[in-house]
Amino acid sequence: MQELISGLHHVTALAGNPQKNIDFYAGILGLKMIKKTINFDAPDVYHLYYGDEVGNPGTIMTFFPYQDIPKGRKGAGQLTYTAFSIPVSALGFWLDRLQTYQIAYTMPQKRFDETYIQFEDFDGLGVELVVTEHDKRVGRASGTIPAEMAIKGFYTVTLHEYSIDRTVKLLTETMQHKLVAEENGRLRFESGSGGAGSYTDVLYTTDSVRSLQGAGTVHHVAFATQTDDTQLLIRENLLSSGYQVTPVIDRNYFHSIYFREPGNILFEIATNPPGFAVDEPLEQLGSRLKLPAWYEPKRDLIEKGLMPVEVNYF
Ligand code: ZN
């Protein structure tokens, strides 16, 4: 069977203040700002991308910092926590670092065979660090974070659902995931060749509140597909399973289709090519405000409408 999904591609969330967002993800977590652009549908709002050195799929966290939208609420029908992996020897380093920057975190807990901690960004978005020796990706040094302590990319995401049967059917029958673990109402699926960055957890609870979209909540999760052809194949699969799927949309750095899974979480399938070097050299990723060609003539106006920000790696 041809592989249609190779893992997670990116997670996109809503934020408040763009500078605080940069200070959290680049400054404290040490993710690299790989692209500073605008929301193509709302050019007065940034679209900020963070990731590894080159923005590999499976490392990319992106935000629309709307500044003045109300905070959202975690709950069912939402991706509530995005987990990043760190090396086994790095847990103490991260506990110290979070304390230094006054980020409250849960004490290390066990889940399946891993240790993890939970905390929130400045808007309340759920983040986890998972300690694992099985992630062979290499982290990047950033500010006072040495490479051997650095975050490597996504580990898993948690889809928080009221009922799971149809979501499980979608993941396993239409999206080629397989169930690899189950514990306390949490089902873990993996795609592609498996491992960190290929997991999706479905968490089943009946007693939680319904989620509310706003700052500090995830807008959608994107799964990675290798080519435009595999994207069209999975689109056919989705359509024949009864999903309403958008046509392919050009997002400049990848091509995308979108649909809602049965629990109402917005899913995207994004192609790995062309990637983030399509409009600036790899060594300059994220350094300049990038606009799609059709907005270039309005660059002055667009730049004036955006809050000035700077990227500092603490
Ligand atoms: Zn997306």
Side-chain angles (χ1 to χ4, degrees):
M1 188 170 61
Q2 189 174 13
E3 182 185 291
L4 301 183
I5 304 259
S6 53
L8 297 169
H9 188 284
H10 65 269
V11 173
T12 293
L14 307 180
N17 182 294
Q19 186 61 59
K20 292 194 82 161
N21 185 258
I22 292 171
D23 288 346
F24 190 86
Y25 288 94
I28 298 173
L29 294 192
L31 306 183
K32 181 175 169 180
M33 164 76 74
I34 51 168
K35 194 65 67 180
K36 190 164 59 176
T37 182
I38 53 169
N39 181 341
F40 291 178
D41 304 317
D44 57 336
V45 176
Y46 281 113
H47 193 180
L48 304 174
Y49 289 72
Y50 308 91
D52 68 0
E53 197 61 37
V54 299
N56 278 308
T59 72
I60 309 159
M61 189 83 201
T62 99
F63 291 89
F64 296 121
Y66 275 92
Q67 296 209 60
D68 49 2
I69 53 168
K71 272 200 178 186
R73 183 178 68 209
K74 284 193 193 65
Q78 194 182 62
L79 191 165
T80 45
Y81 282 89
T82 302
F84 295 88
S85 66
I86 55 169
V88 175
S89 57
L91 182 59
F93 172 88
W94 280 99
L95 297 182
D96 287 349
R97 188 170 175 85
L98 293 172
Q99 196 148 11
T100 300
Y101 292 102
Q102 298 180 320
I103 309 296
Y105 55 83
T106 63
M107 290 314 285
Q109 303 168 70
K110 282 276 183 196
R111 183 171 66 199
F112 302 125
D113 59 349
E114 70 223 20
T115 301
Y116 72 100
I117 57 169
Q118 279 185 339
F119 48 97
E120 293 180 342
D121 74 7
F122 295 130
D123 293 305
L125 188 76
V127 179
E128 294 174 346
L129 294 182
V130 175
V131 172
T132 175
E133 60 190 2
H134 300 299
D135 189 344
K136 301 300 172 218
R137 294 174 295 182
V138 181
R140 64 181 278 280
S142 168
T144 54
I145 306 171
E148 63 272 20
M149 298 293 167
I151 286 173
K152 297 177 169 197
F154 292 140
Y155 187 78
T156 188
V157 292
T158 297
L159 310 180
H160 195 127
E161 306 275 17
Y162 276 130
S163 71
I164 57 169
D165 290 355
R166 288 165 63 219
T167 300
V168 168
K169 192 171 149 79
L170 166 68
L171 286 170
T172 55
E173 292 179 16
T174 315
M175 293 176 64
Q176 294 184 336
H177 282 61
K178 50 176 198 288
L179 180 66
V180 290
E182 186 171 357
E183 179 184 277
N184 299 330
R186 176 180 293 266
L187 284 72
R188 174 162 295 172
F189 299 88
E190 76 176 11
S191 60
S193 43
S198 78
Y199 298 126
T200 294
D201 291 4
V202 177
L203 181 65
Y204 171 55
T205 53
T206 49
D207 57 352
S208 58
V209 293
R210 185 154 285 283
S211 59
L212 188 68
Q213 188 124 87
T217 64
V218 167
H219 185 263
H220 65 268
V221 54
F223 298 85
T225 194
Q226 295 293 352
T227 65
D228 290 325
D229 289 339
T230 53
Q231 182 175 59
L232 291 178
L233 288 171
I234 191 144
R235 186 169 184 276
E236 284 308 312
N237 285 358
L238 288 163
L239 289 171
S240 54
S241 302
Y243 287 93
Q244 293 197 12
V245 190
T246 67
V248 175
I249 299 171
D250 183 0
R251 294 300 187 195
N252 231 5
Y253 312 110
F254 39 84
H255 304 148
S256 301
I257 57 173
Y258 302 84
F259 62 100
R260 287 207 181 264
E261 59 87 33
N264 206 38
I265 300 172
L266 186 60
F267 277 13
E268 173 182 349
I269 310 289
T271 55
N272 290 341
F276 293 95
V278 73
D279 61 356
E280 60 189 336
L282 280 179
E283 54 278 9
Q284 288 169 26
L285 284 187
S287 54
R288 188 166 179 266
L289 180 73
K290 301 308 294 184
L291 300 176
W294 64 90
Y295 277 131
E296 265 311 332
K298 293 185 181 163
R299 173 175 282 272
D300 280 357
L301 200 65
I302 287 170
E303 285 185 344
K304 278 199 195 90
L306 293 165
M307 175 181 151
V309 290
E310 58 179 53
V311 181
N312 295 304
Y313 297 98
F314 303 157

